[in-house]
Amino acid sequence: MMSAGNGSGAAARRRRVPDENTRETVLAAALDTICDLGYYQASSNEIARRAGVSWGVIQHYFGTRERLLVAVLDDAVDHALASLDGAELVGRDQRMRLRQLLKLIYSFYGTPMYAATLQILWNLARDTQTERSSELAVRRHAEVLDARWHDLLTAALDAPPTDAAVWMAFTLMWGVAMEQTAASYMNQPIVEQARLPIEYRIEITLDALEGLFSRNTL
């Protein structure tokens, strides 16, 4: 009897192991599907196929496609915040610290993964059928990320910036980081400036940022 009981317990443990990984597998499949096919073509069935599970399994973990996509967003933002929380801008001068910040922004926003999460953010925010809980999640993520980038940008500067300067600086850095990824993602021609080596593009952006923060009117 003891032997049978131990066998049953081992079998139960074996059954639980895949279940513990299923949620992460589905989240990764959803992200990959959006990266490859786009938000609207990332159907529930295609996500399930790539994850190697049935749609019923996805419903068990997430309920609806919308809630699955919110979970993808939650996961991406959690990973981003974990990396940002460990970030430290050190350097003898402002330009060096801004260079570190720009590289950090490139590592986050200049990736296909972010292009996919951005589609989720945009589409959930503008869809009139989006659940209220999803709207709140989207707003919360945007506010938390904005606050963290604001803190990092302030830490990189010699003097506290105005809100207008922060907004303009971040828009500039975000746009430069996203340019090549967005062009590639949408199968659009990449302009000649985007073909420049990343280090050269960073230096050009730094020149623009230093000009921005040298103005007393912002």
Side-chain angles (χ1 to χ4, degrees):
M1 294 295 291
M2 288 288 291
S3 175
N6 288 339
S8 297
R13 285 193 296 275
R14 285 196 297 272
R15 287 195 298 271
R16 283 197 298 270
V17 171
D19 290 342
E20 293 170 358
N21 297 324
T22 298
R23 187 177 187 278
E24 294 302 318
T25 299
V26 172
L27 289 174
L31 191 60
D32 287 344
T33 305
I34 296 172
C35 284
D36 292 345
L37 304 179
Y39 180 87
Y40 289 106
Q41 297 302 316
S43 67
S44 303
N45 288 336
E46 178 61 17
I47 293 171
R49 185 189 71 78
R50 294 191 182 208
V53 300
S54 68
W55 172 238
V57 170
I58 295 180
Q59 285 181 307
H60 170 72
Y61 282 94
F62 302 99
T64 64
R65 177 180 180 273
E66 179 180 309
R67 291 176 186 174
L68 164 60
L69 296 179
V70 171
V72 171
L73 187 60
D74 289 341
D75 194 57
V77 171
D78 286 345
H79 279 88
L81 290 174
S83 65
L84 294 181
D85 286 343
E88 186 177 0
L89 304 178
V90 294
R92 63 181 180 275
D93 57 42
Q94 177 174 281
R95 189 179 181 94
M96 183 179 293
R97 295 189 297 273
L98 283 172
R99 184 181 293 110
Q100 293 169 357
L101 178 59
L102 260 172
K103 289 183 176 180
L104 189 61
I105 287 175
Y106 264 100
S107 71
F108 180 60
Y109 290 109
T111 64
M113 184 194 77
Y114 177 71
T117 58
L118 187 61
Q119 286 192 72
I120 297 174
L121 276 168
W122 279 346
N123 284 285
L124 289 180
R126 71 182 185 181
D127 189 344
T128 57
Q129 302 301 313
T130 298
E131 294 180 6
R132 177 62 175 166
S133 59
S134 300
E135 292 178 358
L136 293 175
V138 168
R139 187 180 306 165
R140 181 176 66 253
H141 289 323
E143 290 173 351
V144 170
L145 281 174
D146 284 352
R148 190 68 187 99
W149 285 119
H150 185 284
D151 291 345
L152 285 169
L153 181 55
T154 300
L157 300 174
D158 291 333
T162 64
D163 289 342
V166 168
W167 181 83
M168 291 183 68
F170 184 75
T171 300
L172 171 62
M173 291 187 286
W174 179 85
V176 171
M178 278 290 294
E179 181 181 13
Q180 188 163 353
T181 298
S184 264
Y185 191 81
M186 295 184 291
N187 295 317
Q188 297 295 319
I190 299 175
V191 297
E192 194 61 32
Q193 290 87 337
R195 299 183 190 276
L196 295 171
I198 187 171
E199 290 295 334
Y200 185 68
R201 297 173 70 197
I202 284 176
E203 294 306 315
I204 292 174
T205 307
L206 287 172
D207 290 341
L209 286 171
E210 291 196 326
L212 171 65
F213 289 115
S214 68
R215 294 175 178 272
N216 296 322
T217 54
L218 290 176

